[in-house]
Amino acid sequence: IIGTVVDQENGRPVGQAEVRVEPTGQTATTNNRGVFDIENISGGAIQVEIERVGYQTRVDTLASFPGVSLAVQFSMAPEAIALEAMVVSVRSNHLESVGFYRRQQAGLGSHWDRAAIESLNPVQLSDVFRRRPVAGVRVGRGDWGEVALTSSRGRGCQLSTWLDEMRMPGFDIDTYPWEAVAAMEVYVGSQVPARFPDSCLIWSARN
């Protein structure tokens, strides 16, 4: 068999297609002109199977005769390839500028974006930490009785609270509506940004 394999839609040669003849099991691969050559095929009915990534497998039955060459052109239909869904995420310019996404990607601390906060159905901001606890952190009371985050390790020191890069001593986190929060970060322990050791960062919703 001297065969040529072409694209059904545009007639272009299909190279690197795998050709198999049964029942003999002989194989060949098309060259860059789509041509293959298989010699010494026994007479009788043979089955030719052609496979190529991106195309539907083609199977044909031919009659061969001893001492007779067959020149055949096979066309292959392109196969639709299922692609994974494209995921598009819209980022806040504000959170981008303050480094929230960079720290989140680095895997330091605990992070909540707006979607994560909403998924917890909080009534007050402290509910976020109760419903998704952070290791070494608990909801407690600060020096002035305000609702604040404290370390559950050692002496249970109060974490510093920052609102849009402004430190807020004595700030009661439940006085700030969770609906106005774009994202939050909590850091405790040794692997934290030098600027925000043992801190709760609250970022307000902006564009």
Side-chain angles (χ1 to χ4, degrees):
I1 298 177
I2 300 174
T4 304
V5 182
V6 298
D7 187 298
Q8 176 178 293
E9 294 187 352
N10 55 38
R12 294 176 180 172
V14 176
Q16 300 304 308
E18 300 295 327
V19 183
R20 183 179 182 88
V21 174
E22 296 292 357
T24 63
Q26 292 164 280
T27 62
T29 302
T30 59
N31 60 21
N32 58 5
R33 292 181 289 110
V35 176
F36 70 91
D37 186 349
I38 299 179
E39 298 179 348
N40 301 321
I41 294 177
S42 59
I46 60 172
Q47 181 174 281
V48 180
E49 180 178 301
I50 307 175
E51 293 183 324
R52 174 70 161 85
V53 174
Y55 289 88
Q56 298 177 26
T57 298
R58 174 159 187 162
V59 179
D60 293 277
T61 301
L62 303 175
S64 65
F65 302 92
V68 177
S69 296
L70 299 177
V72 186
Q73 177 172 290
F74 302 89
S75 60
M76 298 189 75
E79 181 177 43
I81 300 175
L83 301 177
E84 292 184 4
M86 182 173 62
V87 178
V88 178
S89 58
V90 179
R91 290 189 168 191
S92 160
N93 291 333
H94 174 47
L95 296 181
E96 192 81 64
S97 67
V98 299
F100 173 85
Y101 298 117
R102 184 176 64 254
R103 291 187 292 273
Q104 183 182 44
Q105 187 172 6
L108 299 176
S110 299
H111 298 76
W112 297 260
D113 57 17
R114 181 55 180 266
I117 294 172
E118 289 180 347
S119 70
L120 297 172
N121 296 315
V123 176
Q124 297 176 311
L125 203 53
S126 61
D127 291 335
V128 173
F129 306 102
R130 292 189 179 94
R131 294 172 185 176
R132 206 194 89 178
V134 177
V137 175
R138 64 188 175 197
V139 177
R141 293 286 176 177
D143 297 334
W144 293 278
E146 73 276 14
V147 178
L149 298 185
T150 62
S151 172
S152 59
R153 302 168 180 169
R155 297 177 299 164
C157 298
Q158 180 179 349
L159 274 63
S160 300
T161 301
W162 297 68
L163 178 60
D164 289 335
E165 297 188 285
M166 181 178 295
R167 192 168 185 177
M168 307 288 287
F171 182 71
D172 188 321
I173 61 176
D174 280 346
T175 62
Y176 198 79
W178 71 265
E179 295 90 347
V181 176
M184 293 189 298
E185 306 172 62
V186 169
Y187 297 97
V188 63
S190 57
Q191 294 184 342
V192 299
R195 184 181 175 188
F196 304 116
D198 292 347
S199 297
C200 170
L201 312 183
I202 301 173
W203 304 106
S204 62
R206 299 182 184 181
N207 293 329

